[in-house]
Amino acid sequence: MNKFDGPILITGTAGFIGQALAKELLIRGETIIGIDNLNDYYDINLKISRIEEIKKIANKLNLKWKFYKVSIEDSLELNKIFEVHRPKTVVNLAAQAGVRYSLKNPKSYIESNLIGFFNVIENCKIFKIKNFIYASSSSVYGGNRNLPYSEINEVNHPISLYAVTKKSNELIAHSYSHLYGLPSTGLRFFTVYGPWGRPDMAPMIFTNAILNDLPIEVFNYGKMIRDFTYIDDVVEVLCRCCDKPAAVDKEFNPKIPNPSSSFAPYRLFNVGCNKPVNLMKFIKLLEKNIGKKAKIKFKPLQDGDVVETSANIDLLKDWIGYVPNTEIELGLKYFVDWYQNFSN
C-alpha cells in the first residue's frame, strides 16, 4: 500500500466492516482515526468489543489509533476531527443499516445516511481529501431483474428507503467529484458476512436460533437467493481502493453515459462473489457446521426485500485486480467457529 501524507479516517469504526478494515490497515502500518456514535440499533456491547479488538492490535504493534465517539450528523464535532487530524483518505462506512428497519424508523435513515453523509463529504471537500471511499449497497438495484447486477445499468426503481439513501449518496458523490475534483469510489456491498458480523443479519440470527433451539423465520418460503461476500474479501477490496483513488474515465461518452464512471474522478463497483446461494442451502450449511437442525417457520416475502441478488464483478477486477473469492462453505465454517467462541 502506498503511504499517503496523513492518517486514514474511517467512520462507522465500531461496525462490522469498519472494525475489520481498521484492524487490517493498522497491521499494514497505517495511522487510523476512527469515528462511531455507538448507537443502540443493535447490541452496543458487540460494538464496544469490536473497538477493544482494534485497541489490542494498535497497542500490540505500537501503532497510532484514535477513536472518537461522535455521530456524523454532528457537523461541528466532525469538522473539529478533520481539522485536528487532516486525513488524506476517508472511508465512510457509518450509516443506518438494514432494509427492514427502514420501514419502522425512516427518519434515522435521513439523518444518518443523507445528513451525515453530506457532513462527511463536505469536510472531504474543505480539507481537500485525496481519496474518498464510501459504502453503497446492492439494495440500490431495487426492482431491476437483469441479473447478475451490473454497475453499467441504471438503478432508478428502489424498493426501500434504505436503497434511496444509498443511491442518493452516489449522486451526491458524483456532484462533489465533478465540482471539486474529489476522487470518490462507491462500493455496492452484497450481503457481507463473517466473524464479528451484524446481529440483525441472517448468519447471526439463524446461528443463535439453532444453537438455542429457537425457530428461525424464513421469508418468501425459502425462495431467496443471495450473493454472500466474506468479510476478509471485502477488506481486501477496501484496502486496494485506498491505494487507488477514483480517476476520470478518459473513454467516457456523455451521449451514452456509463453510470459506473464519469468525466469526473468517480467510480462505482459491485463487491460480491457472483456465486449466488439459495437460502435453504445456506441454512443447511449452517446446520452442518453447528451440528444441529434448524426449526424453520416459513413466512411470505417482506416489503422492501428483493428475491435474488447476484453481482457482476468484472469492473472491480479490471480496476484493482482482485475480486471476492471465499467459498460460502469455508466462510460459514469460519463464522460459526468464531460465533461459538465469542458467545462462550
Side-chain angles (χ1 to χ4, degrees):
M1 178 174 294
N2 296 329
K3 297 282 185 178
F4 292 110
D5 56 345
I8 298 175
L9 187 149
I10 303 173
T11 71
T13 327
F16 175 29
I17 300 175
Q19 181 228 30
L21 177 62
K23 290 193 297 185
E24 181 61 26
L25 287 173
L26 281 169
I27 290 169
R28 296 186 185 202
E30 300 291 351
T31 298
I32 301 298
I33 308 303
I35 295 174
D36 202 293
N37 65 359
L38 299 176
N39 68 26
D40 60 358
Y41 168 62
Y42 59 77
D43 186 3
I44 191 173
N45 292 307
L46 176 59
K47 298 181 179 184
I48 293 171
S49 295
R50 290 184 184 134
I51 294 297
E52 290 301 318
E53 283 293 305
I54 300 173
K55 286 181 182 178
K56 287 179 185 177
I57 290 176
N59 292 337
K60 181 178 180 181
L61 300 177
N62 195 27
L63 295 169
K64 293 180 180 179
W65 151 256
K66 179 71 175 178
F67 176 71
Y68 292 91
K69 184 180 181 296
V70 169
S71 171
I72 58 173
E73 294 99 295
D74 189 336
S75 60
L76 292 178
E77 288 301 315
L78 192 63
N79 181 261
K80 290 178 184 177
I81 295 169
F82 272 80
E83 178 69 46
V84 169
H85 295 284
R86 302 284 173 148
K88 293 303 178 184
T89 299
V90 172
V91 184
N92 185 55
L93 301 173
Q96 179 55 62
V99 169
R100 294 168 187 170
Y101 187 64
S102 68
L103 303 176
K104 300 176 182 178
N105 189 3
K107 184 180 179 183
S108 65
Y109 290 78
I110 301 301
E111 292 172 341
S112 180
N113 300 6
L114 293 183
I115 297 173
F117 183 88
F118 165 75
N119 290 338
V120 173
I121 200 169
E122 178 68 5
N123 275 287
C124 288
K125 177 197 79 174
I126 294 169
F127 292 94
K128 302 185 186 306
I129 299 304
K130 293 183 177 180
N131 189 3
F132 176 56
I133 302 162
Y134 62 96
S136 187
S137 168
S138 62
S139 296
V140 300
Y141 289 103
N144 186 337
R145 292 294 178 267
N146 186 14
L147 295 166
Y149 294 143
S150 172
E151 305 94 327
I152 67 172
N153 297 138
E154 297 289 350
V155 287
N156 296 324
H157 299 87
I159 59 174
S160 70
L161 181 63
Y162 172 67
V164 170
T165 62
K166 287 299 182 179
K167 175 57 181 173
S168 298
N169 290 169
E170 296 175 359
L171 295 173
I172 293 169
H174 184 271
S175 69
Y176 272 68
S177 294
H178 166 60
L179 293 170
Y180 311 112
L182 172 65
S184 68
T185 302
L187 300 177
R188 293 173 174 172
F189 295 127
F190 282 68
T191 316
V192 184
Y193 75 101
W196 296 97
R198 278 174 29 205
D200 63 323
M201 295 185 70
M204 200 175 292
I205 292 173
F206 289 179
T207 300
N208 179 66
I210 294 170
L211 285 169
N212 291 285
D213 295 311
L214 299 171
I216 60 175
E217 294 182 336
V218 177
F219 294 98
N220 201 34
Y221 307 101
K223 298 175 182 178
M224 304 279 279
I225 297 173
R226 288 289 180 270
D227 198 340
F228 290 95
T229 316
Y230 190 64
I231 183 62
D232 289 2
D233 290 328
V234 170
V235 169
E236 182 62 27
V237 169
L238 280 162
C239 287
R240 293 190 183 214
C241 287
C242 283
D243 204 30
K244 188 174 182 179
V248 170
D249 182 356
K250 295 180 181 179
E251 298 180 358
F252 184 81
N253 184 352
K255 293 183 178 180
I256 312 174
N258 177 355
S260 72
S261 66
S262 177
F263 47 81
Y266 170 88
R267 299 282 168 154
L268 286 174
F269 298 109
N270 289 335
V271 182
C273 279
N274 194 19
K275 296 178 181 179
V277 178
N278 181 278
L279 182 57
M280 296 311 297
K281 177 184 177 179
F282 175 83
I283 293 171
K284 288 185 182 300
L285 288 171
L286 276 181
E287 291 175 329
K288 178 182 177 181
N289 282 287
I290 296 169
K292 290 180 69 175
K293 282 286 186 181
K295 297 178 179 179
I296 298 174
K297 183 185 293 185
F298 289 109
K299 305 196 82 172
L301 184 68
Q302 285 204 134
D303 290 340
D305 271 355
V306 296
V307 174
E308 182 177 357
T309 66
S310 177
N312 182 314
I313 46 179
D314 293 343
L315 293 179
L316 183 69
K317 184 177 182 180
D318 289 344
W319 185 250
I320 60 171
Y322 179 86
V323 292
N325 53 47
T326 302
E327 298 291 340
I328 188 71
E329 292 81 0
L330 187 60
L332 280 183
K333 180 183 183 304
Y334 291 153
F335 167 73
V336 170
D337 288 346
W338 168 83
Y339 184 86
Q340 290 178 320
N341 288 329
F342 183 75
S343 60
N344 288 334

